Amino acid sequence: MKTFIGIPASAGIAIAKAFVYVDETTFEIPRFRIDKTMAAAEWDRLQQAVTRAAEEVSALHKRAQQEVSREHADIFQAHLFLLEDTDFHDQIKNLLDTNLLNVEWIVWDVSREISHKLMQSPDPVFRERAVDIADISRRIICNLLGITCSRTALAELDKDIILAAHDLMPSDMLTMNKSRVKGIALDEGSSTCHTAILARAFNIPAVMGLSDFSKQINDGEMLALNGTSGNITVNPDKQSLTQYKTDEKEQQKQIKRLNSLRELPAQTTDGYRVALKANIGFLEEAASLKQYGAEGIGLYRSEFLYITPGKAAEEETQYHAYSHVLKAMGKHSVTIRTIDVGGDKIAPELLTVNEKNPLLGWRAIRLSLANPGLFKVQLRAMLRASVHGTMRIMFPLISGIEEMEQALALLDEARAECKKKKQPWSDSVEVGAMIEIPSAAITADILAEKSDFFSIGTNDLIQYSLAVDRGNEKVSYLGDALHPAVLRFLKQTIDAAHAKGIKAAVCGELASDPEVTGILLGLGLDELSMAAPSIPRIKEIIRSVSLESCKALAVQALQGRSIAEVRAAADEWALQHGI
Ligand code: PEP
Ligand code: MG
C-alpha cells in the first residue's frame, strides 16, 4: 500500500483499477530502409493493418449508434470512408515504391502532409478532416506496431477504471468513454487547468499535480482516490478501503443536505441577494443545472464546440447548440463566451500555431479578431439564437478598450449581415468584457463605458497578475487568490462596474471556493458562476452570513499586507461563522 497526495481538482471518491494512459504523440515511429524485394510484403502488412483498423472502427461505429449520439457515430463513419480512400492508399503506395522506407513511417509521412495542407484551409470542414486523417493514421500505425493505441483505448473502455496519466488534453477527455472513467489522477495540472474544469463538468473525481505518480503505478493496480482531499492510495488494505467508503458516505450525506436548499434564494441574513449561476462547456450539461439550483449560466465555454473531434464549428451547428441551451434555461439568462482557444487549451488540431509563450500568445479574443470571418460566424450564430431566450455575450481576455471596440464593431457587422438575410435577433442581448488581464482590471473604468457587464475570469487574472502558469503544478502554490494584488484587482473592477451602474460577476474557479465567499460578497459582487455541483455549498454559506459582516471582512482583507495576513482574517471570520 502506498499513498500519494496531490491537488484536489474534482470532488468525490473513486475506487477502481488503474488504467495508465501514455499519450502516443510521444511514441517513436520507427524509420528504416527496406530492400526493393520487401516492398510487396510491406504493402501486405499495411493492408492487414488497415483491415484490423477498419474492424475496430466498425465496432466503435456500432457502439456509438447504440450508446452515444448520431454525431459521434458519424465521425466513425467518416473514419471508415477515409480508411478506404483510394487517394490515401495511392499516395502511400507511390512513396513506398519510390522511397523504400518502412510502411509505418510512410503512413505517418503521408498523413502529416495531408493534414498540414488541410489545416491551411479557411474552410472548417477541411480542417476537420485533418483531425480525422491524424486519427486514422494513428490507428493504422498502432496496428502495424502491434501496440494498443491508448487514445483509441480510451474511447473503447469497457470496464470501470481510474485514469492515470502524466497529462491529458481536453480532447482526450472528450474522446474517452466517460461512463467508465470513475476517477482521474494526473502528474501535471492544477485545480484551475482545463482538464480539471472538464472533470468537474463531467462530475468525475480528480486529483492533479501528482509529480511522477503515473510512472510509479502499473496498469490494473487497485486505486482509491479522494478528489476532495487529494489523496490516492495504491493497493489499499481493508482498513484504508473502509475509510474511503466512509468518506464517500459522508460526502453523499452532505450532498443530500445541500440539495434541500435548491429552491431557496442565495440571500444573506440581512437580505443581500446574489445570483448563483453555472459554468458549462457542453450543451448536454444544461439539462442537469436545475438540480443544483443554478439561476442561469454565467459562463458557457463555447470553444468546446470547436474541439469535439471531427466536428466543424459551422454557423448552423453553433446556432443549434446556442438555441438548445437558451431554450433549456427558459427565463434564466445564458452568458456565452466567444471562443477562447489557444494558450493551455483546446483546439490544437484546428487552430494550431507553434508559440514560444502560448499563454502570452495568440489566444481568445486575439485569435477571433485576427480571424474576423470565423469570429462573425460565431457572432451571427449567437445573434440568431438570441431570440430563443435571454442571452449575454462576453469577450474573453480583453486587454484594453481597443479590443473591446473592435469586437463590438464586428458584432455590429454581424447584426448587419443577419439583417441582410432577414434573420431576426434579440435587441436585449447584453455584451460584456471578461476581466482576466491586469491591464483590463486597471482600466476597468474605461472598459465599463463599452460594457453592459463584467465577468472576472479569476483563473487567468491570478495567472497573469502573479505570473503563475495555471497548469504548472510546480508553481501552483503561488497562484493564491488571497494575494493582496488579486484582491485589489477585484475591488478595482467591481467598483468601476458599480460606478457605471453595471453588474460584476466572477466566473473563475474562485467563485466556488468557500474560503473566499465572504470576501467576494463583501467586495460587492453581484453574481458568482461556477461548476454547478458547487452551487449548493456556496449558497449555504451565503444564507448563513450577513452582508455587513462580509463587508467588514473585505475591509480587513484589503488591509492585509501579505497572503498570510489576508488568510488569517478570512480564517477567523470563517471560524466565527462556523464555515
Ligand atoms: C477564467 O480565466 O477565470 C475563466 C473563467 O476562463 P477560463 O478558465 O476558461 O480561461
Ligand atoms: Mg480565462
Side-chain angles (χ1 to χ4, degrees), residues 2 32 41 50 76 114 133 198 207 216 240 255 320 333 356 359 386 394 405 411 437 475 486 504 508 526 542 545 565:
K2 217 170 175 185
F32 53 87
V50 169
F76 295 122
I114 302 175
I133 292 271
L198 282 180
V207 178
Q216 294 207 34
S240 169
I255 291 171
H320 288 298
S333 68
K356 279 198 179 144
L359 289 170
S386 67
M394 67 183 180
E405 284 173 347
L411 185 60
I437 306 184
V475 289
V486 177
D526 305 288
I542 293 174
V545 300
E565 282 184 24

Side-chain angles (χ1 to χ4, degrees), residues 211-502:
S211 297
D212 60 350
F213 173 75
S214 71
K215 287 206 185 88
Q216 294 207 34
I217 56 154
N218 299 309
D219 253 341
E221 276 187 302
M222 198 62 186
L223 300 181
L225 174 153
N226 186 336
T228 312
S229 66
N231 284 304
I232 300 185
T233 307
V234 185
N235 297 322
D237 60 17
K238 223 172 170 187
Q239 194 188 353
S240 169
L241 262 184
T242 312
Q243 186 57 51
Y244 276 94
K245 285 184 180 155
T246 312
D247 290 347
E248 186 170 27
K249 273 194 198 127
E250 204 43 55
Q251 288 179 14
Q252 279 163 355
K253 244 197 246 159
Q254 200 196 15
I255 291 171
K256 221 169 171 186
R257 176 171 58 78
L258 291 173
N259 277 349
S260 65
L261 301 175
R262 185 172 32 219
E263 306 298 334
L264 299 173
Q267 189 167 312
T268 58
T269 52
D270 48 357
Y272 181 64
R273 185 87 160 78
V274 186
L276 293 187
K277 299 188 179 177
N279 292 352
I280 66 163
F282 302 94
L283 53 151
E284 293 82 1
E285 285 178 74
S288 67
L289 301 185
K290 255 194 203 137
Q291 89 184 71
Y292 300 108
E295 301 165 285
I297 293 171
L299 169 62
Y300 176 10
R301 290 182 162 98
S302 68
E303 58 273 12
F304 289 105
L305 268 177
Y306 287 66
I307 52 158
T308 303
K311 216 165 145 195
E314 288 164 347
E315 185 172 330
E316 289 312 300
T317 313
Q318 294 192 52
Y319 166 69
H320 288 298
Y322 305 147
S323 303
H324 174 95
V325 176
L326 258 78
K327 285 179 195 165
M329 293 313 290
K331 63 179 183 359
H332 293 308
S333 68
V334 176
T335 312
I336 308 179
R337 168 174 77 186
T338 60
I339 61 162
D340 186 355
V341 289
D344 72 323
K345 41 185 147 183
I346 2 211
E349 291 101 342
L350 293 186
L351 293 152
T352 194
V353 274
N354 271 335
E355 297 182 299
K356 279 198 179 144
N357 289 304
L359 289 170
L360 301 179
W362 207 43
R363 57 170 291 205
I365 196 67
R366 303 165 182 191
L367 213 138
S368 292
L369 293 176
N371 292 281
L374 201 66
F375 190 35
K376 279 195 286 175
V377 166
Q378 175 163 43
L379 295 174
R380 284 197 305 271
M382 287 175 165
L383 288 169
R384 287 171 54 203
S386 67
V387 296
H388 298 299
T390 309
M391 182 190 287
R392 303 199 305 181
I393 296 176
M394 67 183 180
F395 302 126
L397 216 74
I398 291 286
S399 66
I401 193 70
E402 293 87 353
E403 281 175 337
M404 191 67 193
E405 284 173 347
Q406 284 169 39
L408 288 171
L410 287 167
L411 185 60
D412 276 341
E413 281 182 28
R415 281 195 192 96
E417 287 162 12
C418 287
K419 192 172 178 188
K420 215 166 161 187
K421 287 192 196 153
K422 298 198 170 37
Q423 291 165 328
W425 69 89
S426 163
D427 274 332
S428 56
V429 174
E430 292 189 351
V431 187
M434 280 189 81
I435 306 295
E436 311 188 85
I437 306 184
S439 61
I442 288 171
T443 57
D445 56 328
I446 303 170
L447 281 169
E449 290 165 10
K450 297 283 177 185
S451 308
D452 297 324
F453 66 93
F454 282 157
S455 191
I456 309 174
T458 45
N459 305 335
D460 278 318
L461 185 61
I462 293 169
Q463 159 168 269
Y464 294 123
S465 34
L466 304 179
V468 171
D469 175 349
R470 62 195 264 192
N472 183 341
E473 80 286 357
K474 291 191 187 68
V475 289
S476 66
Y477 72 98
L478 286 170
D480 198 317
L482 297 185
H483 192 295
V486 177
L487 294 190
R488 289 178 194 197
F489 281 139
L490 287 173
K491 177 166 170 51
Q492 198 163 347
T493 306
I494 298 164
D495 287 353
H498 290 169
K500 279 279 176 337
I502 64 171

